[in-house]
Amino acid sequence: MLAQLPPMGWNSWNTFGHNINEQVVRDTADAIVNLGLKDVGYEYVVIDDCWSLRERDENGRMVADPEKFPSGMKALADYVHSKGLKFGMYSCAGTRTCAGYPGSFDYEFIDAKTFADWGVDFLKYDFCYKPRLAPGPILYNRMGMALKASGREILFSACNWGSDEVEKWIRSTGAHMYRSTGDVNDSFRSFKEIAMSQVDKLGYSGPGCYNDIDMLICGMHGKGNVANGGCTDTEYKVHFALWCLFQSPLMIGSDLSVCNEYNLELMKNKELIAINQDPEARPPMLVNGDRERPIFFKHLANGEYVLAFFNFTDHASDGTWGATCEFYDFGLTANSGYGLHLRDIFTGEDIGLKTEYMNVRVESHDCVIYRGTLEKR
Ligand code: GAL
């Protein structure tokens, strides 16, 4: 079964936009292996928009742009597969893609077959140029069926930016993940707003179909197709931590040939990835109701818990200002006889048994994340 856990991989859009070509894809596949990203779970190498010619061929089939992809998509898929990775592509539920290339509207079964013939394992499916009266659920279901009929197992990645209350119907179309927001750009404000917009909708996300809060911007540092000033390394840490806590698919968006060591290590952080890949996929609870200094509590499948403190404000928060976590706010009262025995997942430090409340200092635009178990006090 596909997408039992949040899918992990790389997508071309955030950095390369329309400047995508087969060399970039090959180099990225090599990098995913050589940098140890494959070892921690990154698997899908996905080409986003702008890969095709502007017109279909005489049989109605989409054609890869021969200047960008001189060896053809089948050869490229073979290369990606030879690295032990999976190959992804992109189309759109409307008549054209967002960048104006042919979309799959009314060509769904032909296109799904074409993708299967090329060896595609993942299809991102966008929502531009959709006929106004054609309902999204039907269009996604049509492609969902077309992929099933294609003869190949293809992960179906829906991208309608959260419109039409997508979380309520997308599972019924066979999709394995679904974009729930508009596009991320490379700024703190962008990823913060995207993540916080989904806090109340994560209950719909789970094994088989995950809420996708967009590709990662970690390590982009203000360069690339979605550039918008960039983030500090610590801000990228906050970004990655939120994506892991929310169990979003993890699709790297940076150029791996220039991504710095900090961000490579961050995206390989085993503690965070373990939270992202937790098999029960239970949504975190917003404990303190504060959306600028949110504190989240989350169950893990092995019986442990995550307690995560974020600070989106411009000031450090400490016990007197915002970062007090009252344990009764998530149900652990003094009378329970229990506290939480916690470990800081970034430093590895065992901070011991905490009871009733915690004051945690969190620097501006930073986070502190603990993992631990209930323990008798
Ligand atoms: C947007 C989508 C982006 C990217 C872009 C390509 O609709 O949200 O992730 O795929 O189209 O044109």
Side-chain angles (χ1 to χ4, degrees):
M1 224 155 79
L2 292 172
Q4 276 301 102
L5 299 171
M8 296 171 69
W10 176 92
N11 175 297
S12 61
W13 185 253
N14 280 1
T15 292
F16 295 95
H18 68 270
N19 293 318
I20 184 65
N21 60 54
E22 66 179 43
Q23 199 54 49
V24 167
V25 176
R26 284 168 188 259
D27 291 349
T28 300
D30 293 348
I32 289 173
V33 174
N34 297 340
L35 297 170
L37 291 158
K38 175 171 182 274
D39 292 338
V40 296
Y42 294 93
E43 185 179 22
Y44 291 97
V45 182
V46 180
I47 301 173
D48 207 281
D49 205 349
C50 309
W51 58 266
S52 78
L53 287 181
R54 295 269 171 192
E55 302 299 333
R56 291 172 178 272
D57 71 10
E58 61 281 5
N59 301 316
R61 290 177 65 136
M62 295 209 246
V63 187
D65 183 331
E67 279 185 16
K68 294 174 175 171
F69 299 94
S71 316
M73 287 302 177
K74 177 78 176 74
L76 191 52
D78 289 347
Y79 185 80
V80 171
H81 292 151
S82 77
K83 294 272 155 181
L85 299 169
K86 292 186 170 152
F87 183 56
M89 289 189 68
Y90 165 100
S91 187
C92 184
T95 60
R96 277 182 272 160
T97 72
C98 299
Y101 294 86
S104 293
F105 181 80
D106 217 14
Y107 286 90
E108 290 86 351
F109 284 76
I110 295 176
D111 290 352
K113 186 74 176 67
T114 304
F115 292 132
D117 290 348
W118 285 343
V120 168
D121 308 296
F122 177 116
L123 179 69
K124 176 173 172 181
Y125 204 50
D126 220 328
F127 210 50
C128 287
Y129 295 99
K130 180 185 85 70
R132 203 167 54 84
L133 298 178
I138 302 296
L139 296 187
Y140 279 98
N141 196 41
R142 215 192 279 175
M143 186 49 100
M145 291 187 292
L147 292 174
K148 287 256 171 75
S150 73
R152 194 174 167 87
E153 188 169 71
I154 299 179
L155 190 150
F156 187 20
S157 164
C159 176
N160 88 334
W161 324 298
S163 40
D164 306 336
E165 299 187 302
V166 64
E167 66 279 1
K168 297 195 176 149
W169 51 265
I170 193 66
R171 251 172 203 276
S172 64
T173 70
H176 299 102
M177 55 195 261
Y178 60 100
R179 277 278 304 282
S180 51
T181 73
D183 290 10
V184 73
N185 61 56
D186 187 11
S187 70
F188 183 79
R189 182 174 171 180
S190 170
F191 77 69
K192 174 197 89 172
E193 287 180 357
I194 282 179
M196 293 311 287
S197 78
Q198 295 307 301
V199 168
D200 304 317
K201 296 183 179 169
L202 293 172
Y204 293 97
S205 185
C209 189
Y210 285 92
N211 185 328
D212 170 13
I213 49 178
D214 209 352
M215 285 90 71
L216 297 168
I217 53 168
C218 296
M220 292 187 63
H221 289 294
K223 298 210 178 68
N225 186 45
V226 299
N228 189 17
C231 300
T232 66
D233 283 339
T234 306
E235 289 172 341
Y236 289 131
K237 175 180 105 179
V238 173
H239 165 46
F240 192 69
L242 284 166
W243 264 234
C244 288
L245 190 67
F246 287 16
Q247 295 198 254
S248 173
L250 297 177
M251 303 300 289
I252 297 169
S254 53
D255 176 350
L256 291 175
S257 68
V258 298
C259 185
N260 72 6
E261 199 56 31
Y262 180 94
N263 280 279
L264 289 174
E265 289 309 313
L266 171 65
M267 293 188 285
K268 290 193 284 185
N269 184 306
K270 289 201 170 122
E271 293 275 359
L272 287 172
I273 290 175
I275 294 169
N276 178 266
Q277 299 286 297
D278 189 72
E280 285 193 355
R282 298 191 184 276
M285 185 186 285
L286 178 61
V287 171
N288 59 343
D290 184 336
R291 286 170 179 264
E292 282 299 302
R293 289 158 301 202
I295 302 172
F296 293 102
F297 180 80
K298 177 178 169 64
H299 287 242
L300 297 174
N302 72 346
E304 291 186 68
Y305 302 94
V306 177
L307 189 59
F309 297 75
F310 292 84
N311 181 4
F312 301 146
T313 75
D314 294 332
H315 315 277
S317 58
D318 56 28
T320 56
W321 198 72
T324 301
C325 178
E326 300 286 359
F327 285 10
Y328 57 69
D329 275 335
F330 57 87
L332 198 60
T333 56
N335 275 344
S336 68
Y338 283 88
L340 280 173
H341 192 139
L342 297 172
R343 179 171 54 81
D344 183 319
I345 68 157
F346 291 113
T347 65
E349 187 195 352
D350 181 340
I351 63 158
L353 182 64
K354 300 290 166 187
T355 57
E356 295 190 47
Y357 72 93
M358 267 174 92
N359 287 330
V360 176
R361 181 181 171 89
V362 190
E363 302 303 326
S364 167
H365 292 201
D366 202 350
C367 61
V368 175
I369 301 182
Y370 300 109
R371 174 174 177 148
T373 47
L374 283 188
E375 199 175 278
K376 284 235 163 72
R377 39 198 294 199

